[in-house]
Amino acid sequence: MSIPISRHHEGDTHQKVQPRTLYRDVGMLQKSLAPVTSADQFKSPEMLNKPRASVEIYNFFSHEARLRQPSSLKAGSAGLPLNIISLSTGRPSPDTYPFHAMDFTFTDPQLGAALEAGVTAKSCPTGFQTRTASVARNEPAAAIDIAIALSYGYSQGHEQLIQYLTTHISLVHSPPYSDWEVCLTVGNTSALEITLRNFANPGDSILVEEYTYSGAIEVARPLGISLIPTQMDNCGPCPSSLDRTLSSWAVDYPGRPKPRILYTIPTGQNPTGITQPLERRLAILKVAEAHDLLVLEDDPYYYLQFPKSDDSYFSTIIPSYLALCRTGRVIRLDSTSKILAPGLRLGWLTAPKTVVEAYQASHDLGVVHPSGLSQLVTFKLLSETWGHGGFEEWLQSLAQHYQHKANGTLHACRKLLGTGPLGTVCSWSTIQAGMFIWLKISCAQYPRLNDKFQTTKSIETIRLEIEDEIYSNALERGVLCSKGSFFEVPALPRSARAKTEEQSSTELSTGHRRGWQDLNVHFRLTFASEDETDVVKGLETLAGTLKDIFEL
Amino acid sequence: MSIPISRHHEGDTHQKVQPRTLYRDVGMLQKSLAPVTSADQFKSPEMLNKPRASVEIYNFFSHEARLRQPSSLKAGSAGLPLNIISLSTGRPSPDTYPFHAMDFTFTDPQLGAALEAGVTAKSCPTGFQTRTASVARNEPAAAIDIAIALSYGYSQGHEQLIQYLTTHISLVHSPPYSDWEVCLTVGNTSALEITLRNFANPGDSILVEEYTYSGAIEVARPLGISLIPTQMDNCGPCPSSLDRTLSSWAVDYPGRPKPRILYTIPTGQNPTGITQPLERRLAILKVAEAHDLLVLEDDPYYYLQFPKSDDSYFSTIIPSYLALCRTGRVIRLDSTSKILAPGLRLGWLTAPKTVVEAYQASHDLGVVHPSGLSQLVTFKLLSETWGHGGFEEWLQSLAQHYQHKANGTLHACRKLLGTGPLGTVCSWSTIQAGMFIWLKISCAQYPRLNDKFQTTKSIETIRLEIEDEIYSNALERGVLCSKGSFFEVPALPRSARAKTEEQSSTELSTGHRRGWQDLNVHFRLTFASEDETDVVKGLETLAGTLKDIFEL
């Protein structure tokens, strides 16, 4: 089904949520040689009248960020009038692109609801409502055409998409300061890597949750950056632990620069599934203010918060760190990977303008910008087909879909892992967002534990052996789980005195786990990629594996 | 016009060039959870029987590359059988992607010829032959569908595209060793940045041409890597200069690690337009062997070599470094930016397997992989629509198009800049490939030169002032040129003794230019983005600017 779409600004069929004052409609944008854009062009007067961010970003820059300069060729051609003849940049004429036209058929925003009802693309390949957006090589009357989308673009991202995102961010987060900026990224992993390079020198330390995204651990290591774990409870990282680490830094880690960044995944955390409540976020921000930290908010699961009411979705979800911090010390990472499709390799970053400029300079000297094709299809979908209201509807129904799957999975966990003899071995927390459940397996009942302790192996080696035994046995039986140890952040060795004290205790060096009496392993379980029947089948297999290993 | 296309392997309508033995047809590839692929799967027996590369790559790795480890999550799920239930990776089900179907309409490979004849997309929007390729969400019988293309992919690239490129590389370069590998990149700038990080430590030096891609200069600086210019002549970098730099390294730069990489742009060089002839490439390789260098071959203009005969295009173009080096010390970068479209952000890298593995590890911790949509459209075009023969036809006709534009531009240069009084001020070399002409402007006749020398300014400052005067004046009159100074590599200060000798001479510190009698500035001109009328108009304006400034 093809419906005519508005080409000049946001799609007009789902405009139910945003009041007119949330953005400034600047109409059709100019198509210039190398357009320079900025969120400022599209912010409402109310937004522009807020006070500016007060954090001195330049003080946080790494050596590398200070040395980096924007591309001389791009600087030379930026913002020039349209009638200039360019004998300058090696930019092929769009006449030489072999791409003539493209049609994209999108599903309507109610897909999530259909999925929740058990209708999948496989079971009902033609049952979804769809709309088709077309694009030709040269369309002078369109916001974007193939000639623009497939040419070299601006490192911040195509200006029409920046326009859409500026309104979206105003709508959802309404940052409490005026001079925020947004730029596209090629995904949160890339943005994380660029963050570490822009804001930490080799030898520096970054604060993280004690269990964190394995990619963050792997990104930091080759850059020579240490990760400092912050103790977690059911609400996420503990403000007291964070404050303690920072307050005793000079004693514990003499000679090491004090950390200046906290990396956190506040919603549906990877791997624990935890969503930080509002109070926790405010308490963490208080510590960040006290110790002058930047907060890197990696939030790909933000829009997978399970709906609690039928109210407008954006009004019911927990505020982001970006929405809460008035001083501008938050760098927020959003991704299309979990809400549209990971293969787009497209995300966006929101932060004070000085921060965003550093990312743009990094992009100019690396990825340049996300695929123009990914930008094109995302713009056609979000701006021209769905509009802001449609995107909200999509996210709400997608979150409902994950809620439905989570409920089913948690129900199966209770039945298969939480009752009978496994009930004393397995435990997990319920979740309010995202796609992960953090399964804790107590090793106290592990039958060969005493044999293992009679060897010369360390407690940590024994723990990893038990984890691997469960992992390998489950895999042999046909189910793949993620080892918890992938996500564990080892503690940095403290100063000599603190170290001696540690060695004389029975605590494990990683700080996560107390004595061997409390020996635990974790597995990260997800219901994201398999259908519900297979999730249950997988959990049955895992339960059988555990029963055999624990001889229950 | 829609023509049915073969979905299982290479397009069958243009198969005129490659003999059957150049590749191994493995038929339809498996669609597994996280497919592990390798060029080895697709190489012909003859290719696999060649001797292995002999360079010890590991010795060249930087600290960062040695510390980097592949993603634990990906390693955990790589190569598993299809029937595994995954409770592991946070990979959304393709049922949740809002993309239902896509159609791509491609132009036929004869476009270049049409453009050469003056038919442009604008002048004749429907005049080109086109073919449409379609893709649906789930197509079990297809090599690739939306579900695969838009999921998380393998960091090497989608296996079907790796299959196509393996055959393409065999066909064009036939590397003289067996264990080469290919992986996708998000473009040559990104690949260059990753190369510097994988093969140089902060404080190291890299050998480059004395005029080189401005992006390379800008990428190296924040990484703390110095660039060492190699003198150039009309055939590219001089082997004698390269050998002299390396042979006298310990004396000239005591305490600094000897360079281990040569970065070169061998075809239609950016900015000079020079194409290194075969003999020069062999001579450079000889120096590389003698001093144990890796050669980073950045070759985006390779396929824009102006055709010299009607013979099969690939058989007439100059062999690449990759094709010439038996020991495997070449890292070759190819890009779709100049031959398909820059907005795809898609290129590929060919090198010994150990090298490619280091890039894959970098990708896992950064860009992950190029856009799945860019991979999808490139595969549909190159493999399923054009096939290898069609791609060759496209490249040949595109090169003809650039040849035609180059001839027109060179003709206009002779007429407008090379005759009359400007004839003693302006000079340039003819070109055999690519899109750049390197305009040299002698400042000997600059009318206010004596006034300038009576100030306390350095010769270099005076030179940059004259360059900026020409640049700014031309821009005011509506024509944008690239300053030569963007591309100049300043010489690294030599040891104290060598420095004293330099200071007592009248030579400029950059080493490019002799005394003030020979004061020159350069501009890089390109005919790539404008049509021929505008190129001529631009050159007229530039000529007028120069006449006024030089009072001729």
Side-chain angles (χ1 to χ4, degrees):
Chain A
M1 186 173 80
S2 180
I3 283 180
I5 47 178
S6 156
R7 293 196 179 282
H8 287 238
H9 35 79
E10 317 312 341
D12 50 3
T13 53
H14 298 281
Q15 294 282 4
K16 69 182 178 196
V17 285
Q18 85 278 27
R20 193 72 181 157
T21 53
L22 270 167
Y23 66 96
R24 191 161 52 155
D25 186 352
V26 298
M28 180 86 148
L29 299 171
Q30 273 213 331
K31 293 175 192 167
S32 65
L33 200 66
V36 174
T37 193
S38 162
D40 287 351
Q41 285 183 266
F42 313 116
K43 289 176 188 165
S44 68
E46 290 85 339
M47 184 61 78
L48 288 168
N49 279 334
K50 293 183 185 184
R52 292 172 64 84
S54 58
V55 169
E56 278 297 339
I57 293 298
Y58 192 82
N59 294 343
F60 289 88
F61 280 150
S62 67
H63 302 321
E64 185 178 331
R66 283 164 206 240
L67 283 171
R68 203 183 283 118
Q69 286 167 338
S71 160
S72 54
L73 283 176
K74 286 193 187 158
S77 63
L80 290 175
L82 281 173
N83 57 352
I84 289 282
I85 292 176
S86 175
L87 305 180
S88 171
T89 47
R91 175 192 287 267
S93 161
D95 282 339
T96 64
Y97 305 162
F99 307 105
H100 193 75
M102 298 184 187
D103 299 297
F104 303 107
T105 303
F106 304 120
T107 44
D108 272 357
Q110 300 77 17
L111 174 69
L115 287 172
E116 193 198 352
V119 184
T120 67
K122 270 179 224 155
S123 72
C124 184
T126 55
F128 296 130
Q129 294 292 307
T130 62
R131 282 194 285 176
T132 299
S134 298
V135 61
R137 186 195 297 268
N138 291 298
E139 286 186 83
I144 189 166
D145 56 23
I146 291 176
I148 294 175
L150 289 188
S151 184
Y152 285 110
Y154 187 50
S155 63
Q156 187 175 3
H158 180 69
E159 52 188 343
Q160 292 279 2
L161 205 43
I162 294 299
Q163 179 177 33
Y164 181 86
L165 290 173
T166 301
T167 304
H168 172 78
I169 293 160
S170 302
L171 186 62
V172 178
H173 306 285
S174 187
Y177 63 96
S178 63
D179 54 329
W180 54 273
E181 190 54 83
V182 56
C183 75
L184 300 188
T185 68
V186 302
N188 287 17
T189 304
S190 167
L192 166 62
E193 197 236 15
I194 294 175
T195 304
L196 293 190
R197 290 173 57 198
N198 279 346
F199 293 101
N201 295 312
D204 279 358
S205 305
I206 298 286
L207 299 152
V208 297
E209 286 139 347
E210 65 177 317
Y211 303 104
T212 194
Y213 170 47
S214 55
I217 301 172
E218 290 156 356
V219 167
R221 188 183 144 88
L223 297 175
I225 294 163
S226 303
L227 300 185
I228 308 295
T230 305
Q231 219 179 304
M232 295 173 82
D233 62 17
N234 285 342
C235 296
C238 299
S240 56
S241 165
L242 188 64
D243 184 62
R244 201 166 45 240
T245 300
L246 289 162
S247 298
S248 65
W249 186 264
V251 176
D252 286 342
Y253 306 103
R256 274 195 172 257
K258 194 174 164 184
R260 308 201 68 188
I261 302 185
L262 169 67
Y263 170 75
T264 183
I265 306 164
T267 317
Q269 202 244 6
N270 187 355
T272 65
I274 291 170
T275 298
Q276 299 170 23
L278 175 61
E279 300 68 33
R280 177 57 55 95
R281 295 173 189 227
L282 292 170
I284 290 286
L285 276 179
K286 214 169 158 186
V287 180
E289 292 294 343
H291 291 281
D292 197 19
L293 295 180
L294 294 184
V295 177
L296 180 60
E297 177 176 41
D298 183 5
D299 215 0
Y301 314 103
Y302 184 70
Y303 292 114
L304 303 182
Q305 295 185 48
F306 304 154
K308 289 178 188 120
S309 73
D310 285 341
D311 290 349
S312 135
Y313 186 54
F314 293 158
S315 70
T316 60
I317 55 181
I318 295 179
S320 64
Y321 276 98
L322 175 68
L324 296 172
C325 178
R326 294 179 178 279
T327 52
R329 53 180 73 251
V330 175
I331 302 173
R332 178 175 168 83
L333 307 182
D334 278 286
S335 171
T336 61
S337 289
K338 313 297 181 186
I339 57 176
L340 297 179
L344 294 174
R345 306 313 308 137
L346 184 73
W348 63 94
L349 180 146
T350 317
K353 196 174 180 62
T354 314
V355 174
V356 170
E357 283 167 351
Y359 285 84
Q360 285 183 249
S362 303
H363 287 174
D364 276 342
L365 306 180
V367 301
V368 185
H369 54 68
S371 161
L373 211 46
S374 293
Q375 294 192 53
L376 172 66
V377 77
T378 304
F379 175 75
K380 285 275 172 191
L381 174 64
L382 296 188
S383 186
E384 291 194 344
T385 306
W386 283 352
H388 291 284
F391 190 29
E392 182 178 26
E393 201 177 335
W394 167 261
L395 294 170
Q396 181 163 20
S397 80
L398 190 67
Q400 268 164 359
H401 166 68
Y402 278 98
Q403 183 175 32
H404 182 85
K405 279 186 116 175
N407 286 343
T409 307
L410 288 164
H411 177 79
C413 282
R414 281 191 294 275
K415 199 176 129 197
L416 297 165
L417 301 170
T419 53
L422 277 183
T424 55
V425 172
C426 297
S427 59
W428 59 90
S429 297
T430 188
I431 58 169
Q432 293 153 48
M435 44 177 70
F436 300 119
I437 294 170
W438 191 231
L439 177 66
K440 181 165 135 183
I441 296 172
S442 159
C443 301
Q445 294 181 60
Y446 182 83
R448 290 166 300 283
L449 204 55
N450 281 335
D451 298 353
K452 285 191 181 279
F453 277 114
Q454 278 163 16
T455 65
T456 55
K457 290 170 186 165
S458 71
I459 297 182
E460 185 56 11
T461 304
I462 292 167
R463 204 176 67 84
L464 293 178
E465 279 182 4
I466 296 172
E467 183 190 52
D468 192 63
E469 188 182 348
I470 298 169
Y471 170 85
S472 305
N473 259 277
L475 188 57
E476 264 170 40
R477 296 169 195 220
V479 62
L480 178 69
C481 305
S482 287
K483 288 180 179 180
S485 57
F486 288 168
F487 308 95
E488 287 166 5
V489 182
L492 197 66
R494 295 190 192 174
S495 68
R497 209 192 60 182
K499 222 172 161 180
T500 317
E501 282 165 12
E502 266 171 27
Q503 280 169 346
S504 69
S505 83
T506 56
E507 284 193 2
L508 288 171
S509 66
T510 60
H512 301 300
R513 295 153 294 274
R514 293 187 293 277
W516 64 266
Q517 303 91 334
D518 282 317
L519 203 65
N520 298 318
V521 297
H522 288 97
F523 285 89
R524 191 195 69 177
L525 307 179
T526 177
F527 44 82
S529 53
E530 303 285 359
D531 65 28
E532 292 173 56
T533 322
D534 280 342
V535 170
V536 173
K537 224 186 279 177
L539 289 173
E540 280 168 358
T541 306
L542 181 61
T545 307
L546 289 170
K547 277 183 190 154
D548 287 353
I549 288 176
F550 281 81
E551 298 175 3
L552 296 171
Chain B
M1 184 173 81
S2 178
I3 284 179
I5 48 180
S6 157
R7 295 196 177 284
H8 285 238
H9 34 77
E10 317 312 343
D12 49 3
T13 53
H14 298 280
Q15 294 283 1
K16 67 181 182 198
V17 286
Q18 85 278 28
R20 195 73 182 156
T21 52
L22 272 167
Y23 66 100
R24 190 161 53 155
D25 184 353
V26 298
M28 189 63 162
L29 300 170
Q30 273 212 333
K31 295 175 193 167
S32 65
L33 200 65
V36 174
T37 192
S38 162
D40 286 351
Q41 283 182 269
F42 313 117
K43 289 175 189 165
S44 70
E46 289 85 340
M47 184 63 77
L48 289 168
N49 279 335
K50 293 183 184 183
R52 292 170 64 86
S54 58
V55 169
E56 280 296 338
I57 293 296
Y58 192 82
N59 294 342
F60 288 88
F61 279 150
S62 67
H63 301 322
E64 185 178 331
R66 284 166 205 239
L67 283 171
R68 202 183 284 118
Q69 286 168 337
S71 158
S72 55
L73 282 175
K74 287 193 187 158
S77 63
L80 291 175
L82 279 173
N83 57 353
I84 289 281
I85 293 176
S86 174
L87 305 180
S88 171
T89 46
R91 176 191 287 267
S93 161
D95 281 341
T96 65
Y97 305 162
F99 307 104
H100 194 74
M102 298 182 187
D103 300 297
F104 304 106
T105 303
F106 304 121
T107 43
D108 271 0
Q110 299 78 16
L111 173 69
L115 287 172
E116 194 198 351
V119 183
T120 68
K122 271 179 226 155
S123 72
C124 184
T126 56
F128 297 132
Q129 293 292 306
T130 62
R131 282 193 285 176
T132 300
S134 298
V135 60
R137 186 195 298 269
N138 291 296
E139 286 187 82
I144 189 166
D145 57 23
I146 292 176
I148 293 175
L150 289 188
S151 184
Y152 285 111
Y154 187 50
S155 63
Q156 187 174 2
H158 181 69
E159 55 188 341
Q160 292 279 2
L161 204 44
I162 294 298
Q163 179 177 34
Y164 181 86
L165 290 173
T166 302
T167 305
H168 172 79
I169 292 160
S170 302
L171 186 62
V172 178
H173 306 285
S174 189
Y177 63 96
S178 64
D179 54 331
W180 54 273
E181 189 56 81
V182 56
C183 76
L184 299 188
T185 68
V186 302
N188 286 18
T189 304
S190 166
L192 166 61
E193 197 237 16
I194 295 175
T195 303
L196 294 190
R197 291 171 58 196
N198 278 347
F199 293 102
N201 296 312
D204 279 359
S205 305
I206 299 286
L207 298 151
V208 297
E209 286 138 350
E210 62 177 320
Y211 303 105
T212 193
Y213 170 47
S214 55
I217 301 172
E218 290 156 356
V219 166
R221 188 183 143 88
L223 297 174
I225 294 164
S226 303
L227 300 185
I228 309 293
T230 305
Q231 217 181 305
M232 296 174 82
D233 63 16
N234 285 341
C235 294
C238 299
S240 56
S241 165
L242 188 65
D243 184 61
R244 200 165 47 239
T245 301
L246 289 161
S247 298
S248 65
W249 185 265
V251 175
D252 286 341
Y253 306 102
R256 276 195 170 257
K258 192 173 166 186
R260 308 201 68 187
I261 302 185
L262 168 68
Y263 169 74
T264 183
I265 306 164
T267 318
Q269 201 243 7
N270 187 354
T272 65
I274 291 170
T275 298
Q276 299 170 25
L278 175 60
E279 301 66 32
R280 176 58 55 94
R281 296 171 190 229
L282 291 170
I284 290 286
L285 275 178
K286 214 168 158 186
V287 180
E289 292 294 344
H291 290 280
D292 198 17
L293 295 180
L294 294 184
V295 177
L296 179 60
E297 177 177 42
D298 183 6
D299 214 358
Y301 315 102
Y302 183 70
Y303 292 115
L304 302 183
Q305 295 184 47
F306 303 153
K308 290 181 188 116
S309 73
D310 285 341
D311 290 350
S312 135
Y313 186 54
F314 293 158
S315 70
T316 60
I317 55 181
I318 295 179
S320 64
Y321 277 98
L322 175 69
L324 296 172
C325 178
R326 294 179 178 278
T327 51
R329 52 181 73 252
V330 174
I331 302 173
R332 179 176 167 82
L333 307 183
D334 277 286
S335 171
T336 61
S337 290
K338 313 298 181 186
I339 56 175
L340 297 178
L344 293 173
R345 305 313 308 139
L346 184 73
W348 63 94
L349 179 148
T350 318
K353 196 175 180 64
T354 315
V355 173
V356 171
E357 283 167 350
Y359 284 83
Q360 286 183 248
S362 302
H363 286 174
D364 276 343
L365 306 180
V367 300
V368 185
H369 55 66
S371 161
L373 210 46
S374 293
Q375 294 190 54
L376 172 67
V377 78
T378 304
F379 175 75
K380 284 275 171 190
L381 172 66
L382 295 188
S383 185
E384 292 194 344
T385 306
W386 283 353
H388 291 285
F391 189 29
E392 183 178 25
E393 201 178 333
W394 167 261
L395 294 170
Q396 182 162 19
S397 78
L398 190 66
Q400 267 161 0
H401 165 68
Y402 278 98
Q403 184 174 32
H404 182 83
K405 280 187 115 174
N407 286 343
T409 308
L410 289 164
H411 178 77
C413 283
R414 279 191 296 274
K415 198 176 128 197
L416 297 165
L417 302 170
T419 52
L422 277 182
T424 55
V425 173
C426 298
S427 59
W428 59 89
S429 297
T430 189
I431 58 169
Q432 293 154 48
M435 44 176 72
F436 300 119
I437 293 169
W438 190 229
L439 178 66
K440 181 164 133 182
I441 296 172
S442 159
C443 301
Q445 293 181 61
Y446 181 82
R448 292 166 299 284
L449 204 55
N450 281 335
D451 298 354
K452 283 192 183 278
F453 276 115
Q454 277 161 17
T455 65
T456 55
K457 291 169 184 167
S458 72
I459 297 183
E460 185 58 9
T461 303
I462 292 167
R463 205 177 68 83
L464 294 178
E465 279 181 3
I466 296 173
E467 184 190 49
D468 193 62
E469 187 182 349
I470 298 169
Y471 170 84
S472 305
N473 260 278
L475 189 57
E476 264 169 40
R477 297 170 194 220
V479 62
L480 179 70
C481 305
S482 286
K483 288 181 180 180
S485 58
F486 287 170
F487 308 95
E488 287 167 5
V489 182
L492 198 65
R494 294 189 192 177
S495 68
R497 209 191 58 181
K499 226 173 161 179
T500 317
E501 283 164 12
E502 265 170 30
Q503 280 167 345
S504 67
S505 83
T506 56
E507 283 194 2
L508 288 172
S509 66
T510 60
H512 299 301
R513 295 152 296 273
R514 293 189 291 278
W516 63 267
Q517 302 90 336
D518 281 319
L519 203 64
N520 298 318
V521 298
H522 288 96
F523 285 90
R524 190 193 71 177
L525 306 180
T526 177
F527 43 83
S529 53
E530 304 286 359
D531 65 29
E532 289 172 57
T533 321
D534 280 341
V535 170
V536 172
K537 224 186 279 177
L539 289 173
E540 279 168 358
T541 306
L542 182 61
T545 307
L546 289 170
K547 276 184 193 154
D548 286 352
I549 289 177
F550 282 80
E551 297 173 4
L552 295 171

